[in-house]
Amino acid sequence: MRRIGVVLAGLLAAVSGSAVMAQEVPPSVVREARVVPGLQAAGEIVIDRAGIPHIYAGNARDGFFLQGYAVARDRLWQIDLWRKRGLGRLSASFGPAYVAQDRAARLLLYRGDMIKEWAAYPAAAKGWTEAFVSGINAFVADVEAGRQPLPLEFAASASRPERWTADDVVRIRSNALASNIASEVDRARALCGGAGPYEAMRAPLEPATHKLVMPKGLDPCSIPKDVLDEYLLGTSEVRFDGKALALALRDPEVQEGSNNWVIAPARSATGRAIMANDPHRTHSVPNLRYLSHIDTPELKIAGAGEPALPGMSLGHNEDAAWALTIFAIDQQDLVVNPKGAKLTEVRESIAVKGEAPREVVLKFTADGPVIHEDAASGRSFALRATWNQPGASAYFNAAWAFTAKSWDDFRAAQTHWGAPPLNLLYADRGGTTGWMAAGFVPKRAAGDGLLPVPAGKAHGWNGLLDGALMPAIKDPAQGWFATANQYNVPAGYPHMLGLEWSNPSRMTRITEVIAAKPKFGITDAMALQNDVTSPFARRVVKLLGGLEGRTVDETGALTLLRGWDGELGAESAAAALYEIWARRFLPQAAVKAIVPEAAREAIGTVALIGVVQTLEDGKLPAQLSHAILLDSLGSAWAEMTRRLGPDPARWRWGSLHVADFRPALAIPGRESGQRVGPLGIGGGSSTPNAASWSGDFLLTAGPSVRLVMDVGAWDNSVAINTPGQSGDPASAHYRDLFARWAGGAYVPFVWSRARVLQEAERIIAVTPGE
């Protein structure tokens, strides 16, 4: 104990001066010391009251080492499971039930030249990553030696954490294959089933003037219903409930997306640029993102990132901030190989817990992995994707932004970006702001990427578009720029990027709010990230104008929705009725009334925006449109009555729509401690505060992390991360941010050492060890 005390006192004095520490650190702060082999010099991990680690190290290498150590301290089970899933190593820990998933995951690994792969990233990136995984491994060593506790999930599953290499981080490509292979299959099957005339309702394109072209030689009926089963298995999360993977029908309204905006100094209430970002992904506990801050003499960065990657994918350095949302570049094609096509076989051994290893055969073509073989026809199907190119590891190219100090630096970083395809926003202390699209763009020899294609040069790819040719706007004239996954390709842009974009409702609302404020501030940005008003809902309800109810239910529904402002608040009765009507009853009524019975199965699930556009365009007989609207509205009213009672004054959207987060592995007797929720919330898929829900009204996707950055005055920045920073149910930071997040509150995301110490909850002093 005396040695630990001496080490701690000496380290704190060396890093910041003992007198200063005594003045700046609240007396309640917990102090501890650790000796960590692999560290080059003394450092600190200062954990603030929100559980965010602020890492101080003598060099960048140690900064990333300590970030890996901090991540493992908070999220070891999560990142270990991510690695095992991605590398196809689940069976080694969990047994034979996972062999098929391991095989599928291995099909999606990067299998190219690793020298070329690392050369595609900044020169320092490999060293940073080696340091990061060394930090993870150092924590694993502490666990193995009993110096740190083994997370309870490992004991419950009778498994142990594995050691990492730097190559593991970049070889896993199945974690962010954001593209359209699933919609290619849906479209082909819809065309095969006679639903082609209803494509605009099923899955509208942008620009709407684009005409679908059937690839020469493609028979849409040649695409089997189960063609994507292995692909979906290889990209799915890990299940421990004993159930088979559910290959559910895709719901176009349950989307992963994001919002971001940048405000130029002239439009900002602070006189400095403001950057805001709230990426939307599937909710989980712990969630996909992790907040952290690294401070070293040569590199200072802070933001949010994937916990299994070094650094952060969105955030800021000393001089500039960056933010991201998905930009809909089409980066995939399903390739149909004829009977007898030559397939390359790779044999691999999969370790299986409790059994002998199993040999599996992976098959490939020049286009990519073979994800399905159809015994009946002899055809095989390969996935052609940009991710098999060097430099396409998901979010890893954010490393180029870590040292960007100017627009030109960031523009150079953008040209390297591979995956996922992004809208990147930029702002710096000098006041420069802007937007640029980023991501590998395949140059197709023919076609538009909307349907599977026959194998061969006629439908092949002729390399990738030069990243310098991607669209960009520096210092937008209106003084701000925003994106929300909407169609935003500049008019006249000459290159084909993608044709499938998100409902523009979130962007419409963001534009309404920002344009209405001559000066836009930090609190305005916070409020807008939590805004639950849906312009699209107003648009849908407008279709009811002039209608008269034929029944008591229809009349009651019309009365409740008329004059409603589209606010999907948790306390709103109109919001509850609207969501259940627009999502559950209106699309089905439209399909039943418009699509011939023979084509209904083929059309699958239609997009609500496609239904609304069909009702708006005036081509349907008025009597038919009115029947669709009233029939579905009456059915929704009856459903609401069944669920929430006959008195609409007592209906609440939050009574149905709940956030209820549960971990991948539920431990018997510990389920209540692992669960976070339920909590009724507002919002929907078309509001800036995106809150997509599944068929049981459970929140499925939306912003888990939100950042608002005061560019240059970084201490004014704020963030929130739900349900908390830690993945340990016993930690105070497992669920401490959940209620704040749901209520639209934030925590300080400070930058200067003085402010960090004021926010400190725990200081871990670390010294090198043998």
Side-chain angles (χ1 to χ4, degrees), residues 286-495:
N287 77 57
L288 181 66
R289 296 285 178 4
Y290 183 78
L291 291 162
S292 60
H293 169 203
I294 299 173
D295 190 315
T296 73
E298 68 267 40
L299 184 67
K300 302 178 192 299
I301 51 175
E306 293 62 34
L309 270 64
M312 51 279 307
S313 55
L314 57 135
H316 67 87
N317 55 35
E318 291 180 282
D319 300 291
W322 66 95
L324 53 84
T325 69
I326 293 295
F327 180 80
I329 298 171
D330 184 348
Q331 296 186 321
Q332 295 176 333
D333 282 341
L334 181 66
V335 179
V336 184
N337 302 305
K339 182 177 181 179
K342 182 179 180 181
L343 308 180
T344 300
E345 294 187 356
V346 175
R347 297 181 180 273
E348 293 194 356
S349 178
I350 295 179
V352 181
K353 182 179 181 179
E355 295 185 2
R358 296 192 189 181
E359 184 180 83
V360 295
V361 178
L362 310 178
K363 297 182 181 181
F364 300 85
T365 71
D367 291 306
V370 174
I371 59 174
H372 185 78
E373 293 182 87
D374 185 46
S377 67
R379 299 185 187 94
S380 61
F381 299 82
L383 171 63
R384 182 193 293 148
T386 57
W387 57 259
N388 61 16
Q389 301 293 315
S393 182
Y395 297 103
F396 195 80
N397 270 305
W400 292 97
F402 297 168
T403 56
K405 297 180 180 296
S406 67
W407 170 265
D408 289 342
D409 287 347
F410 198 70
R411 182 68 165 152
Q414 168 265 316
T415 63
H416 294 281
W417 194 275
L422 296 178
N423 291 285
L424 293 173
L425 293 186
Y426 170 85
D428 61 35
R429 294 195 300 177
T432 298
T433 62
W435 161 83
M436 54 190 74
F440 288 164
V441 179
K443 296 193 292 185
R444 291 179 169 85
D448 51 20
L450 292 174
L451 285 161
V453 295
K457 291 183 178 180
H459 294 284
W461 290 358
N462 298 320
L464 303 175
L465 184 70
D466 184 345
L469 299 177
M470 293 295 284
I473 297 174
K474 181 181 180 182
D475 291 327
Q478 63 187 1
W480 61 275
F481 201 94
T483 76
N485 318 115
Q486 83 289 359
Y487 177 63
N488 64 344
V489 178
Y493 183 73
H495 305 288

Side-chain angles (χ1 to χ4, degrees), residues 527-725:
L528 182 52
Q529 286 185 335
N530 289 277
D531 190 293
V532 293
T533 299
S534 170
F536 184 66
R538 296 196 299 246
R539 177 178 165 187
V540 179
V541 169
K542 188 177 179 181
L543 294 168
L544 302 176
L547 297 185
E548 296 294 334
R550 303 163 303 183
T551 66
V552 172
D553 285 357
E554 292 172 4
T555 300
L558 288 168
T559 300
L560 183 57
L561 290 179
R562 279 180 179 149
W564 177 54
D565 61 2
E567 184 177 347
L568 296 172
E571 299 302 310
S572 172
L577 176 62
Y578 166 78
E579 283 286 299
I580 200 170
W581 168 55
R583 285 278 307 282
R584 182 159 291 176
F585 290 99
L586 179 57
Q588 292 88 331
V591 169
K592 184 177 180 180
I594 298 170
V595 181
E597 186 174 358
R600 287 176 195 164
E601 181 179 355
I603 199 171
T605 303
V606 298
L608 177 58
I609 190 170
V611 171
V612 172
Q613 289 172 350
T614 300
L615 294 170
E616 288 175 333
D617 68 16
K619 295 179 181 178
L620 294 177
Q623 185 177 1
L624 179 59
S625 293
H626 294 170
I628 292 169
L629 292 165
L630 290 172
D631 288 348
S632 59
L633 198 57
S635 297
W637 182 273
E639 178 71 3
M640 286 296 299
T641 299
R642 185 182 71 81
R643 287 181 174 274
L644 297 181
D647 183 3
R650 302 174 71 88
W651 295 352
R652 299 289 183 271
W653 176 220
S655 296
L656 296 173
H657 187 223
V658 298
D660 191 4
F661 303 153
R662 306 190 188 202
L665 176 60
I667 300 173
R670 302 277 190 106
E671 294 95 338
S672 60
Q674 292 179 283
R675 181 180 181 182
V676 181
L679 183 64
I681 61 170
S685 61
S686 62
T687 61
N689 185 5
S692 294
W693 52 273
S694 61
D696 57 2
F697 301 101
L698 189 69
L699 178 71
T700 54
S704 55
V705 68
R706 301 182 180 112
L707 271 73
V708 179
M709 295 169 276
D710 189 346
V711 178
W714 306 114
D715 278 342
N716 298 333
S717 301
V718 295
I720 194 69
N721 195 21
T722 195
Q725 283 279 103

Side-chain angles (χ1 to χ4, degrees), residues 50-53 74-75 289-291 721 723-727 733 736-737:
I52 302 170
D74 283 326
R75 304 278 190 97
R289 296 285 178 4
Y290 183 78
L291 291 162
N721 195 21
Q725 283 279 103
S726 176
H733 299 300
D736 58 327
L737 302 181

Side-chain angles (χ1 to χ4, degrees), residues 485-517:
N485 318 115
Q486 83 289 359
Y487 177 63
N488 64 344
V489 178
Y493 183 73
H495 305 288
M496 172 65 77
L497 299 174
L499 295 159
E500 297 165 292
W501 305 81
S502 292
N503 184 321
S505 181
R506 287 181 286 117
M507 183 61 189
T508 300
R509 180 57 178 167
I510 291 167
T511 300
E512 288 177 355
V513 173
I514 296 178
K517 288 184 173 291

Side-chain angles (χ1 to χ4, degrees), residues 513-527:
V513 173
I514 296 178
K517 288 184 173 291
K519 296 290 184 180
F520 193 86
I522 298 293
T523 56
D524 296 319
M526 295 160 64

